[in-house]
Amino acid sequence: MSIDANDAPAVRLAGVRLDRGTRTILSGLDLEVPRGSVTAVLGPSGCGKSTLLAALTGELVPAAGTVEVLGRPVPRRQRELLELRKSIGVLLQGNGLLTDLTAAENIALPLRTHTRLPRAVIDRLVEMKLHAVGLRAAGDAYPRELSGGMARRVALARAIALDPPLMIYDEPLTGLDPIATGVIINLISELNDRLGLTSIIVTHHVHETLPIADRAVVMANGGVVYSGTPDELRASDDPLVQQFLQGKPDGPIAFDSSPHREAA
Ligand SMILES: Nc1ncnc2c1ncn2[C@@H]1O[C@H](COP(=O)(O)OP(=O)(O)O)[C@@H](O)[C@H]1O
Ligand SMILES: [Mg+2]
């Protein structure tokens, strides 16, 4: 079975509603992520960005609507879901590196778990992934010996270990200094283009992320409030978009409230 068989968009959501418990977090979501693109999903903290990602990986089953990833509806059955997840590289904010394994061993982990490749081949693949993130010499280092930026690069190398066609980044810049931020954002862009990936970057770091994005999606108030190119976004005179871009606390986006409460 080939997961990535057709040329449908990498991700397509139609009429999607996502609930957590009895609360509706997002509703009326219609969204297409073109293959090969870097899409920035922007929005204030708590607006539901991570919730949206959970629907793409099948962690969260939508209360309504359809979610398609790589041309297929996200499956419910565990076995098919695991198969789909091999096609999605995920980088989470906390990196999720195992502290008692070296960088190389961390990167080897998905290869050991999901393939039957011989040890020597895995070692070679790990070297290549380390090289891809500019850390060829760091394979034997433990996570505690790495700077924040280097640790995130190791996590990135692990996320691409199985050569997934779709990459999902949840707040990849959080906690990084400005130099590491530049390194990571450029790496995300470079890997997308060199490896022919599709990348979705969920972030509140608007100004760092827009320069490498082909598409921008802004979420607020329980849904998508903007979708278009970064240039169109910057030029938008929508007060909601401008409020978000300028980081103003007062305006049509209720920054510190749940999507259900009315904006003051
Ligand atoms: N597992 C959960 N159970 C209940 N509520 C949740 C859960 N995860 C997130 N939420 C709520 O859903 C809303 C959106 O959260 P999240 O998607 O994490 O936002 P973001 O990633 O944009 O900061 C928040 O109000 C949060 O409290
Ligand atoms: Mg989040």
Side-chain angles (χ1 to χ4, degrees):
M1 185 181 76
S2 165
I3 286 283
D4 195 12
N6 57 41
D7 50 23
V11 168
R12 202 173 73 85
L13 279 76
V16 169
R17 194 181 101 215
L18 299 174
D19 295 350
R20 292 280 197 189
T22 56
R23 244 180 86 201
T24 295
I25 309 296
L26 297 164
S27 59
L29 286 180
D30 295 311
L31 189 63
E32 282 196 7
V33 174
R35 297 244 180 179
S37 66
V38 173
T39 296
V41 177
L42 309 166
S45 176
C47 74
K49 302 180 298 295
S50 296
T51 301
L52 172 68
L53 295 185
L56 303 186
T57 57
E59 263 169 88
L60 183 62
V61 176
T66 53
V67 179
E68 289 173 10
V69 172
L70 302 168
R72 289 160 187 271
V74 174
R76 304 276 171 91
R77 295 225 315 263
Q78 201 57 24
R79 222 176 53 126
E80 291 165 39
L81 200 52
L82 289 178
E83 203 56 39
L84 171 71
R85 285 189 186 149
K86 285 190 225 166
S87 310
I88 308 176
V90 181
L91 182 70
L92 297 176
Q93 190 175 320
N95 296 339
L97 296 174
L98 299 184
T99 53
D100 51 352
L101 297 185
T102 65
E105 287 164 349
N106 267 286
I107 300 166
L109 215 51
L111 294 159
R112 296 233 168 89
T113 311
H114 296 293
T115 74
R116 292 171 177 205
L117 295 168
R119 177 68 193 261
V121 175
I122 289 182
D123 288 350
R124 184 80 190 98
L125 287 172
V126 168
E127 261 176 52
M128 288 166 65
K129 302 305 174 191
L130 275 168
H131 184 52
V133 299
L135 285 181
R136 227 179 334 178
D140 293 332
Y142 286 89
R144 65 174 176 277
E145 299 169 323
L146 301 171
S147 69
M150 285 167 82
R152 195 136 316 160
R153 279 192 273 166
V154 172
L156 184 42
R158 189 183 54 184
I160 60 170
L162 293 169
D163 293 321
L166 175 63
M167 287 296 294
I168 289 178
Y169 300 93
D170 196 353
E171 304 286 3
L173 305 178
T174 298
L176 300 180
D177 64 43
I179 290 175
T181 293
V183 169
I184 292 293
I185 205 73
N186 287 330
L187 197 50
I188 290 172
S189 170
E190 241 182 75
L191 289 173
N192 190 78
D193 295 348
R194 282 210 324 252
L195 304 177
L197 312 176
T198 303
S199 302
I200 299 175
I201 310 173
V202 156
T203 183
H204 61 272
H205 289 87
V206 186
H207 303 288
E208 296 82 349
T209 309
L210 282 182
I212 67 150
D214 303 303
R215 313 281 307 164
V217 173
V218 179
M219 293 172 57
N221 299 346
V224 169
V225 296
Y226 175 88
S227 173
T229 68
D231 283 344
E232 288 161 2
L233 176 68
R234 291 189 195 95
S236 165
D237 53 12
D238 183 334
L240 220 147
V241 166
Q242 283 309 321
Q243 183 203 348
F244 175 67
L245 286 181
Q246 294 163 27
K248 292 185 195 155
D250 297 316
I253 303 176
F255 267 78
D256 59 351
S257 72
S258 76
H260 270 331
R261 254 191 280 159
E262 293 296 317

